[in-house]
């Protein structure tokens, strides 16, 4: 393990991306996202992902010089055309127009299209909540998860993220896959020979298994909470796919280059509670959140991530990852 | 068991409501909702609920002559002031303005306030999808469910409903509680001495139990899928509460009359995919839905309900319920 400051992580990420064909705006946006993940203790979305971003560039699947454009397609709807670039720059471009639209209209949405998504969704919903808005985002992936009752992968691990502004100026946010555990966690459990939780997936014969390797070897993952999580995964496919004119997970796979960030879309929504509730919404929200903060055993979603954030680094980065990045 | 046609159910419901203080528009709207539930085989939301509606009227908690009004609070946001009346009339009043707003703006929302909600949410999201829109709705209740890790009830059973228009003219819809099973199902299992599924709830000491009676006797229900379902229950509290200027479940309880329909709010959202995706969205959606329909073991959410609907009645109604209704 190496200790790295957040500035060092940012600089390493930016240089590696620019050495491999990213222009400055794209390298900066991806590096901000990677650095934010490391800052929050989300190593699985941090510098660990850099080799896949670079693979996307080298394979010609991702456009390192994408210049995402905004189009207003209805009074309360914008779309971002991502030009096959990585999602972070497209999301940064969407921010100001979406915030303004939500504040003008009360509710507004953004369909992000033709992006390569490989990060968590909390950065975009937190960015909205930091402006006093409610944020909601979903995106699909490639097929890993079977619909409830079925044995064939159809849905992505399909995360849903939500953020609410706090009276303190901070935010409440959650960001969770529709699968029981993330794809990367299945891989890590398989590598280390540890069993995955019951309900995580089926082997290639369709039998429940706690062997991560059996899930990866022709098996499928399952949605959290049985048919209810499966319904949510389906909703996410529709919202991030056909609803915004983008591909479903099974369609994304048809053109996917293995090991590169996913192509597809993202649905992002913002609501301005000062319009929909009135002036008191912040204090009102705290009454509920305070009850959870004060309840023995309970905690707010994202609390651990925000505690890591408060530390501000430095963080531990594995030597193996640094070797892989140095080779790029 | 008695066999009743849907017309007979409607007439019995309407007469009982009008005999107990409902005016014609409110009695008709509630009766349409009850009849639709019986038609779809959702007995737990059918005529079985009539005694509680009547209790709400007799206790003076619900206003049988409410005349819900619409206010536009932002270019893409309307609010319905329910005047303490039952939700169905407020929802019927919201329909045309919300559909028009979504078609004009691309996305629109409605905050329903000061209603007494006691029905499923699929009628309102299906009503939007029948107009070619995507529908999404959530509502809170009174505290039944503990946040993940906690032992105190804070969240309602908090349903979320979603509907998508089908190319055939039909709809895909799901409507599911954030709890593992519905409150009524815990009661039925307790009454019949059958164990509830593992994970359904905790007893009053905070220990997991499959004894429904122990959950009802000072225990709590749990969210589906552990901390992920708990996060969704929290999101629903915020969306149907502080975000639209309405009460949280724990606040609803403070003024609730036990056994009557819940007071509180509902968040209803409509998106027009012809604006956000383009003309092809219906055919595109079918590609995903068809894969589920054709996958061995899988089925679309709501499929059983829609199969019951196609039969069109008559339906079985228990003599016990009919006796209870006759006494009103």
């Amino acid at each position: 393990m190496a200790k790295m400051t957040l500035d060092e992580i940012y600089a390493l990420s930016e240089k590696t991306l620019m050495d491999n064909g990213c222009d400055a705006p794209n390298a900066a946006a991806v590096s901000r996202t990677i650095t934010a993940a490391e800052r929050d203790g989300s190593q699985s979305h941090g510098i660990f992902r850099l080799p896949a971003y670079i693979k996307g560039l080298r394979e010609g699947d991702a456009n390192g010089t994408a210049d995402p454009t905004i189009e207003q397609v209805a009074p309360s709807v914008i779309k971002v055309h991502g030009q096959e670039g990585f999602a972070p720059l497209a999301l940064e471009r969407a921010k100001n127009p979406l915030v303004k639209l939500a504040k003008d209209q009360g509710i507004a949405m953004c369909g992000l299209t033709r992006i390569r998504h490989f990060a968590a969704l909390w950065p975009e919903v937190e960015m909205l909540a930091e402006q006093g808005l409610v944020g909601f985002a979903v995106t699909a992936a490639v097929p890993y998860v079977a619909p409830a009752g079925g044995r064939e992968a159809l849905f992505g691990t399909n995360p849903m993220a939500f953020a609410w502004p706090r009276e303190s100026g901070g935010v409440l946010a959650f960001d969770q896959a529709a699968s029981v555990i993330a794809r990367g966690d299945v891989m890590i459990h398989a590598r280390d020979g540890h069993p995955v939780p019951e309900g995580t997936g089926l082997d290639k014969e369709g039998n429940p298994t706690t062997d991560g390797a059996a899930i990866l070897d022709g098996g499928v993952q399952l949605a959290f909470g049985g048919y209810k999580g499966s319904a949510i995964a389906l909703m996410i496919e529709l919202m991030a796919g056909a609803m915004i004119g983008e591909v479903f997970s099974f369609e994304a796979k048809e053109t996917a280059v293995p090991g590169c960030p996913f192509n597809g879309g993202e649905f992002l929504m913002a609501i301005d509670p000062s319009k929909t509730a009135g002036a008191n919404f912040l204090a009102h929200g705290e009454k509920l959140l305070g009850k959870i903060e004060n309840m023995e055993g309970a905690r707010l979603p994202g609390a651990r991530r925000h505690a890591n954030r408060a530390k501000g680094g430095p963080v531990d980065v594995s030597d193996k990852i640094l070797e892989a990045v140095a080779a790029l």
Side-chain angles (χ1 to χ4, degrees), chain A:
Chain A
M1 284 290 178
K3 281 266 179 223
M4 291 179 76
T5 67
L6 298 179
D7 286 346
E8 286 165 349
I9 285 171
Y10 179 89
L12 175 62
S13 169
E14 190 181 40
K15 180 176 186 314
T16 308
L17 286 158
M18 292 188 72
D19 285 349
N20 284 275
C22 263
D23 63 13
N26 277 286
V30 172
S31 299
R32 275 191 284 271
T33 299
I34 284 176
T35 306
E38 293 285 353
R39 177 199 68 194
D40 282 15
S42 306
Q43 285 90 354
S44 62
H45 285 99
I47 204 149
F48 166 73
R49 297 253 160 155
L50 202 46
Y53 279 110
I54 301 303
K55 185 169 163 63
L57 292 167
R58 292 188 177 176
E59 301 264 354
D61 184 58
N63 175 5
T65 61
D67 184 22
T69 58
I70 310 281
E71 183 190 2
Q72 185 155 7
V73 298
S76 293
V77 182
I78 56 173
K79 288 182 90 165
V80 178
H81 297 257
Q83 298 184 355
E84 327 301 337
F86 297 129
L89 186 61
L91 286 159
E92 289 183 13
R93 294 269 171 92
K95 177 188 164 185
N96 287 341
L98 181 60
V99 167
K100 181 175 187 319
L101 206 57
K103 290 189 174 182
D104 288 345
Q105 305 289 87
I107 184 171
M109 63 169 269
C110 174
L112 293 117
T113 63
R114 308 199 78 84
I115 51 173
R116 296 291 180 277
H117 209 299
F118 210 51
L121 300 187
W122 57 258
E124 43 262 45
V125 293
E126 290 200 2
M127 141 190 119
L128 295 170
E130 284 162 4
Q131 305 298 314
L133 304 175
V134 176
F136 178 90
V138 294
T139 190
V142 294
Y144 292 136
V145 174
R151 298 172 179 194
E152 294 168 48
L154 181 64
F155 304 140
T157 44
N158 291 11
M160 170 192 289
F162 171 82
W164 175 266
R166 305 281 315 252
E167 201 170 24
S168 61
V171 305
L172 165 86
F174 72 78
D175 176 4
Q176 59 193 26
S179 52
V180 173
I181 64 175
R183 188 73 179 177
D185 284 337
V186 180
M187 293 178 184
I188 289 167
H189 282 76
R191 184 193 68 192
D192 299 346
H194 296 147
V196 295
E198 275 188 38
T200 297
L202 309 176
D203 64 21
K204 63 184 164 196
E205 274 85 38
N207 299 311
T209 180
T210 57
D211 176 2
I215 293 171
L216 297 173
D217 177 25
V220 291
Q221 287 186 247
L222 293 174
F224 80 95
Y227 73 92
K228 293 187 180 187
S230 176
I232 286 173
L234 169 59
M235 175 178 81
I236 292 171
E237 288 284 334
L238 289 165
M239 284 181 156
M243 194 175 82
I244 61 168
E246 256 294 353
V247 291
F248 294 123
S249 292
F250 80 87
E251 295 168 323
K253 193 183 180 186
E254 290 164 8
T255 58
V257 181
C260 297
F262 308 124
N263 65 87
E266 179 177 346
F267 168 71
L268 184 58
M269 179 173 78
I271 294 173
D272 183 356
S274 74
K275 297 288 194 305
T276 59
N280 191 42
F281 74 94
L282 280 178
H284 189 192
E286 294 305 315
K287 288 189 187 172
L288 180 69
L289 302 181
K291 281 194 176 279
I292 299 170
E293 290 177 319
N294 293 322
M295 189 184 297
E296 192 189 330
R299 63 179 179 84
L300 288 178
R304 198 163 34 199
R305 217 159 39 69
H306 290 160
N308 285 329
R309 183 179 306 182
K311 293 180 199 155
V315 297
D316 292 322
V317 181
S318 96
D319 297 323
K320 230 178 201 164
I321 292 173
L322 289 178
E323 276 165 39
V325 170
L328 303 170

